Amino acid sequence: MAIWFLTLPFHASALDKPEGPVMLIVTGTLAHPNSGDEAHFDRAMLEALEQHDTLTNTPWHDGQVRFSGPLGRAILEAVGGDGEQMRITALNDYAATVPVSDFYQYDVILAMSADDEPLRIRDQGPLFVIYPFDDSPKLLNEVILSRSVWQVHRIDIE
């Protein structure tokens, strides 16, 4: 019986429960939910994930802006998400369908700050999907711009 116990998979990457206000809810087929069958993240949990800075121009800002936040793929890996696309939804219910492959092909972040200032709701926060437009100019097109959801509060992995 002890041998059987030792062969069980050990999930060291299980998510803790958020201690602060929930900023992001992730749903779908998740290996590591922390609230029923969903994964809830507060600011500290998002800050604990692999972070990335993206210095880029966007159609919504004047000049280059340094956006900072967790890599999208770090969020997917933290929840053990399984799917081919995501429905990313904003606080105002705007939603865009984004291929999961975007998060692995590009350094897409869920920006939590711009030029070292936390993104507030009035500043397109608390989370803003940012693609590295200056690093890959081909991303500056209507399809990708429509995937650049701001005021993100939910990701449904499908």
Side-chain angles (χ1 to χ4, degrees):
M1 185 137 167
I3 294 172
W4 175 79
F5 175 75
L6 293 174
T7 62
L8 289 176
F10 177 68
H11 295 288
S13 58
L15 287 176
D16 291 331
K17 292 204 178 271
E19 295 180 13
V22 173
M23 288 180 64
L24 177 66
I25 298 170
V26 182
T27 67
T29 303
L30 308 179
H32 309 293
N34 64 0
S35 182
D37 58 356
E38 300 178 338
H40 292 191
F41 290 86
D42 62 15
R43 177 171 286 279
M45 293 170 70
L46 290 169
E47 289 172 343
L49 297 174
E50 183 181 356
Q51 302 292 298
H52 189 74
D53 289 347
T54 298
L55 182 62
T56 193
N57 288 281
T58 77
W60 310 286
H61 301 87
D62 293 327
Q64 279 192 327
V65 177
R66 180 174 305 285
F67 294 98
S68 302
L71 284 164
R73 63 182 163 263
I75 293 169
L76 296 177
E77 291 164 4
V79 301
D82 184 26
E84 297 197 11
Q85 60 186 14
M86 302 167 283
R87 186 149 179 84
I88 300 178
T89 306
L91 292 170
N92 68 357
D93 292 328
Y94 171 82
T97 300
V98 177
V100 166
S101 61
D102 277 13
F103 279 16
Y104 289 93
Q105 185 174 359
Y106 306 104
D107 286 335
V108 179
I109 64 173
L110 268 74
M112 296 172 50
S113 66
D115 291 333
D116 298 321
E117 293 295 323
L119 288 172
R120 301 169 299 173
I121 291 173
R122 65 200 274 171
D123 304 319
Q124 299 157 318
L127 299 170
F128 189 171
V129 176
I130 293 291
Y131 283 77
F133 296 115
D134 286 6
D135 293 344
S136 300
K138 68 181 180 180
L139 295 173
L140 200 53
N141 63 66
E142 284 189 46
V143 171
I144 299 299
L145 292 176
S146 72
R147 295 176 184 169
S148 299
V149 180
W150 57 72
Q151 297 178 337
V152 172
H153 83 98
R154 185 179 192 92
I155 298 175
D156 300 301
I157 303 169
E158 304 169 342

